[in-house]
Amino acid sequence: MSEEDPGRDTYPDADRAAVRDEPAPSARVPLDRERIVAAALDFIDANGLPGLTMRRLGEQLGVEAMALYRYVPSKEELLDAVVESLVAQIRDDEVVLDSPRDGWQDFLQRLAHGVRRVALAHPKAFPLVASRPAEAPWLRPPLRSLDVVETFLSGLLEEGFSDEAAIDGYRAYTSFLLGHLLLEVAVHGADVGPLDVLDDQTGEPGLAAYPIVARLRGPLSEDRSAIEFEEALEALLDRMTVARSAHLAE
């Protein structure tokens, strides 16, 4: 490792490989858009979003940054492609359904857990789902692709929801998912702006003036994310049931 750049060996170096008469990584595995996007997601998972640059990604792939632009014209397009890959993982989840089979509650529960699985598998990349432009400006993250939203709405309409109730359900459902999951990935080290206050802090605050907080510090610090997710999802589905029932009674 070079003393001048102690972090250099973090990424494969194509130039040094050539000097050592070794094939560059890109010579061993052909470079393409899919491989670049997968490498970008791996980089974000390991290092966080702020550190991602085309140069560093090129080093990870063993090529010059300019070689990437043939497949991904800009970093902005690369980030959009990372989001597309995350949404594709949701669609490809074997538990997520294309249409209701055992009722709309089961349909939405499966989708919610599919989104959560992706968020927890890629917590540092998941905030991109909220921050990158959607396919249409009126779509709401994390259900931000036309394909996913079409599936969501058609599933509810098949189950007796009116147009208005299905739209209201979409708004409530996306707000629930985004709010809960951004809080959860922040705990797992995601950079979500103001939500960073949830990250672990060095040292302990003085609690002498706050006896109730001090007494309840143990349960307050428990990780109940999974339980809270289930309870909030059930409450949301209950509200949607009332809206659906009101429509059917008309």
Side-chain angles (χ1 to χ4, degrees):
M1 183 180 293
S2 167
E3 294 181 359
E4 299 163 288
D5 188 356
R8 180 101 178 141
D9 278 342
T10 303
Y11 314 103
D13 190 318
D15 293 334
R16 282 186 291 170
V19 170
R20 295 171 184 169
D21 199 25
E22 300 171 353
S26 60
R28 296 191 291 270
V29 181
L31 197 64
D32 57 28
R33 181 183 174 90
E34 183 177 351
R35 184 179 169 219
I36 292 169
V37 173
L41 182 55
D42 288 343
F43 183 98
I44 296 169
D45 286 342
N47 305 284
L49 179 60
L52 178 65
T53 65
M54 299 299 273
R55 179 184 64 79
R56 288 174 177 166
L57 183 58
E59 289 176 344
Q60 179 166 300
L61 289 165
V63 300
E64 295 293 329
M66 291 302 296
L68 304 179
Y69 290 105
R70 176 182 175 186
Y71 305 94
V72 185
S74 68
K75 182 180 176 182
E76 294 300 304
E77 184 167 326
L78 174 63
L79 295 179
D80 288 339
V82 168
V83 172
E84 290 172 8
S85 74
L86 295 174
V87 174
Q89 289 182 38
I90 297 171
R91 290 199 305 265
D92 294 341
D93 189 304
E94 60 183 12
V95 174
V96 174
L97 301 177
D98 291 331
S99 61
R101 295 179 190 169
D102 297 305
W104 64 270
Q105 293 96 334
D106 173 76
F107 173 65
L108 295 191
Q109 285 175 331
R110 287 170 175 269
L111 178 57
H113 285 287
V115 176
R116 184 170 183 260
R117 272 190 289 276
V118 170
L120 295 183
H122 306 285
K124 295 180 181 178
F126 185 74
L128 285 171
V129 174
S131 61
R132 301 302 301 170
E135 284 189 66
W138 33 264
L139 293 181
R140 298 161 61 100
L143 306 187
R144 42 167 294 136
S145 81
L146 292 168
D147 181 56
V148 172
V149 175
E150 179 75 9
T151 298
F152 179 94
L153 294 175
S154 64
L156 294 189
L157 294 176
E158 289 172 15
E159 290 291 309
F161 281 75
S162 66
D163 288 354
E164 182 179 0
I167 293 170
D168 288 344
Y170 168 70
R171 289 171 177 160
Y173 188 81
T174 51
S175 295
F176 153 72
L177 280 179
L178 191 63
H180 186 99
L181 293 177
L182 283 179
L183 287 169
E184 193 165 1
V185 299
V187 174
H188 289 274
D191 180 9
V192 290
L195 293 179
D196 285 345
V197 296
L198 296 175
D199 291 345
D200 291 339
Q201 304 292 326
T202 56
E204 281 284 342
L207 298 179
Y210 310 98
I212 296 176
V213 174
R215 177 169 59 83
L216 299 178
R217 182 190 180 285
L220 283 171
S221 63
E222 291 177 359
D223 183 3
R224 292 174 47 85
S225 299
I227 296 173
E228 291 170 357
F229 184 85
E230 291 292 343
E231 291 176 346
L233 179 57
E234 287 292 337
L236 171 62
L237 297 181
D238 287 344
R239 293 198 303 272
M240 292 177 65
T241 299
V242 172
R244 173 178 176 271
S245 299
H247 167 67
L248 294 176
E250 292 177 355

